[in-house]
Amino acid sequence: ADADPPGLGDDPDALGRHHQHLLERDDRLRLGVFHTPLDVARPLAELALDEFGRVPRSVTDPSVGGGALLLAVADALVARGVPPVEVRSMLSGGDIDPLAVRVADLTLRRWSFRHGLGWSGGPVLAVTDALAGGGATADLVITNPPFGGRLRRPATSDATSALEVSEGLGPYADVATAFVLAADERTAVDGVTALVVPSSVLAARDVEAARRRLSRRRRLAVVWVDPPRFDGVAIAPIAVVLGPPAGPSMVVRGGEQIEVPDPGHRWSRAAAAVPPAADLATEGSVADVAAVLAPFRDEYYGLVDAVEEDGDGPRLVTSGLIDPGTHHWGSRPVRFAKRRFERPTVRVEAADTAGRRWIDRQLAPKVLVASQTRIIEAVADADGALVGVTPVIAVVASGVDVDHLLAVLLSPVAHALVLRESAGTGLNPTAIRVTGPALAALPLPADRVAWRRAAELLAVDPLDGLPEARRTMLTAYGLDADGELAGWWESDVGA
């Protein structure tokens, strides 16, 4: 009994992959159901077993789908010398979808057959709702829960488990967050939880209650920030492994494992893998010398009817036009409100009340900061001739000139501090979703002489002067221009 029954081929994961495609693409997106590819399942299984450090007595997947994660764990355990019959006895799982349970059952029965255990018999799989609570605990809980969709709060008072905890979460917490909590509840006290989750779990405000709760009993042992993207998934996935409180934390990026300080509930700090910056020499913050203006939907829609091609008004600048130290207005086309513009300008009188207020506040010397970028991208507007549009943030100078502000915002220190708090809130785990409060809280350097020298470099030539200005700003913050943070900036950021 060492060959498959006819017709199944050599791909151990074929049934699971085909199961996903039984759903229409729109249904998969709506339900957040995506099969875990083996190039994600196998490394995650290895990371989880390494964290557990011994042979588990039980392994379960409460959102089993096509069974890829249990399959990967089974293969990893056999490769570590565990007899297949023992591996099979420790596996269990469930799913709310009866067809998924059937597919997983067939996949794992096939695994048993190929390991000489026959076609009959297999792991215990059941049609269950993981968010309903209950179920036996396991040494290892490994799962890829549904992505997307705001969490539906229970309508009755008898809700239990993760859904009870969800009442402490923000209104935009999603189903995947509830699964993190449910998986934790199913994990033995000294066990390990491994999950594929949206990158927003790292830092989203509405998930903070969940991270705080988890950090009281577990630590973030591993965060894998760049697993292969799933077929059809718009949301960037990451993988996390939660272990007992004692032990190191590490980030996996580009196949490399990097040990990082325990981030507590601030998981983005682990994902960022930024060197500590506790010894910064600072004096004051950006909020002391500038007004930070962050637009919302009203400001965007307030400009929709006011933008025209190459008029006499202020020039409209989107995030896509901003690069560090410069902008590309007039040389790079943009789309705004479903229209294409080569040289977009704003007719102030055509804006509505919210739009006009937003314009008026920006007609002053300022720095415009893009969002959803790999590094902080900002450009000085000393003449107040530009108008940024959502999500561009305007940092309007009051206590210093715009070149001093630009030197702070483009410094490696600013990037490191923002990334530590925001990794995971962008469109992918390494993108920065810049916020107004984060910019306002950035510290100013204590060495004013070095700060002025950096500002002068940017004033003369913000492009050619930028590399030296960044090195000078490290000195302004009391850091070694060739030290750990500088090395991280050059090797990891590469800017």
Side-chain angles (χ1 to χ4, degrees):
D2 57 357
D4 280 328
L8 289 181
D10 296 326
D11 184 354
D13 193 37
L15 291 171
R17 288 188 293 101
H18 289 313
H19 165 249
Q20 170 179 278
H21 294 292
L22 291 177
L23 289 173
E24 295 291 339
R25 182 177 182 277
D26 289 346
D27 290 334
R28 296 206 312 271
L29 292 172
R30 177 176 55 84
L31 297 172
V33 177
F34 299 97
H35 180 66
T36 311
L38 285 181
D39 58 357
V40 174
R42 285 171 172 155
L44 181 58
E46 296 287 355
L47 290 168
L49 290 169
D50 287 346
E51 171 60 23
F52 191 67
R54 56 194 186 279
V55 177
R57 294 161 297 182
S58 52
V59 180
T60 193
D61 183 348
S63 182
V64 73
L69 286 166
L70 290 182
L71 181 67
V73 171
D75 284 340
L77 287 170
V78 168
R80 294 172 185 228
V82 183
V85 65
E86 184 178 337
V87 171
R88 184 175 68 177
S89 69
M90 69 178 68
L91 301 180
S92 66
D95 202 288
I96 200 170
D97 177 6
L99 180 58
V101 172
R102 182 60 176 154
V103 170
D105 179 67
L106 291 172
T107 295
L108 294 168
R109 284 175 185 269
R110 184 184 179 203
W111 180 90
S112 296
F113 184 90
R114 299 185 71 167
H115 285 82
L117 303 179
W119 187 256
S120 62
V124 177
L125 303 176
V127 178
T128 57
D129 182 356
L131 300 186
T137 60
D139 286 340
L140 172 57
V141 178
I142 184 167
T143 193
N144 171 21
F147 276 32
R150 287 169 59 181
L151 183 61
R152 294 179 180 272
R153 265 48 177 185
T156 60
S157 60
D158 60 354
T160 59
S161 187
L163 286 182
E164 279 188 342
V165 178
S166 77
E167 292 303 314
L169 302 180
Y172 294 98
D174 63 7
V175 173
T177 302
F179 265 88
V180 174
L181 297 170
D184 171 64
E185 290 181 348
R186 293 285 302 278
T187 306
V189 173
D190 60 346
V192 167
T193 314
L195 308 102
V196 180
V197 289
S199 59
S200 58
V201 168
L202 291 173
R205 180 180 57 190
D206 294 282
V207 185
E208 183 172 353
R211 294 193 300 269
R212 286 184 180 276
R213 176 179 183 270
L214 291 166
S215 68
R216 288 194 289 269
R217 53 177 280 168
R218 302 196 186 278
R219 83 184 194 287
L220 181 65
V222 181
V223 54
W224 181 14
V225 299
D226 57 355
R229 295 292 286 263
F230 292 16
D231 179 28
V233 178
I235 302 171
I238 61 165
V240 297
V241 177
L242 307 176
S249 297
M250 69 176 180
V251 60
V252 178
R253 178 186 289 115
E256 182 181 3
Q257 298 183 1
I258 306 167
E259 188 167 330
V260 294
D262 182 356
H265 74 280
R266 299 180 182 276
W267 292 2
S268 62
R269 294 185 175 183
V274 176
D279 53 351
L280 291 177
T282 66
E283 184 178 321
S285 68
V286 167
D288 297 328
V289 296
V292 180
L293 311 179
F296 296 99
R297 291 181 180 179
D298 287 349
E299 285 78 9
Y300 177 91
Y301 289 111
L303 297 179
V304 166
D305 295 328
V307 178
E308 62 183 357
E309 185 68 65
D310 202 15
D312 296 328
R315 291 171 284 172
L316 185 81
V317 174
T318 65
S319 271
L321 291 179
I322 298 174
D323 276 334
T326 189
H327 66 81
H328 301 279
W329 186 92
S331 61
R332 180 185 295 173
V334 300
R335 289 192 65 82
F336 173 73
K338 300 181 179 180
R339 292 179 292 165
R340 177 187 169 98
F341 294 92
E342 299 290 336
R343 300 168 64 84
T345 55
V346 180
R347 287 190 301 120
V348 177
E349 66 278 7
D352 71 8
T353 301
R356 187 170 301 186
R357 183 169 58 247
W358 174 243
I359 295 167
D360 290 343
R361 297 179 73 187
Q362 290 194 71
L363 297 180
K366 62 185 174 296
V367 174
L368 295 180
V369 184
S371 191
Q372 299 287 7
T373 52
R374 191 176 66 86
I375 61 174
I376 295 179
E377 298 181 352
V379 60
D381 175 26
D383 299 326
L386 306 177
V387 169
V389 64
T390 308
V392 173
I393 295 173
V395 184
V396 180
S398 56
V400 295
D401 62 39
V402 293
D403 297 310
H404 278 76
L405 279 179
L406 188 64
V408 169
L409 295 171
L410 293 182
S411 70
V413 169
H415 176 73
L417 293 176
V418 172
L419 182 61
R420 275 168 56 88
E421 303 304 322
S422 70
T425 60
L427 295 176
N428 63 70
T430 59
I432 295 181
R433 179 179 173 270
V434 180
T435 67
L439 295 183
L442 287 174
L444 303 178
D447 186 339
R448 289 335 205 213
V449 174
W451 184 14
R452 183 173 63 250
R453 188 160 61 249
E456 290 170 348
L457 287 167
L458 295 176
V460 172
D461 191 330
L463 294 181
D464 290 344
L466 182 55
E468 185 59 30
R470 282 174 166 153
R471 287 178 55 83
T472 304
M473 286 300 290
L474 291 170
T475 302
Y477 281 105
L479 301 175
D480 184 347
D482 296 307
E484 187 178 14
L485 189 64
W488 165 80
W489 175 263
E490 292 178 3
S491 63
D492 284 28
V493 181

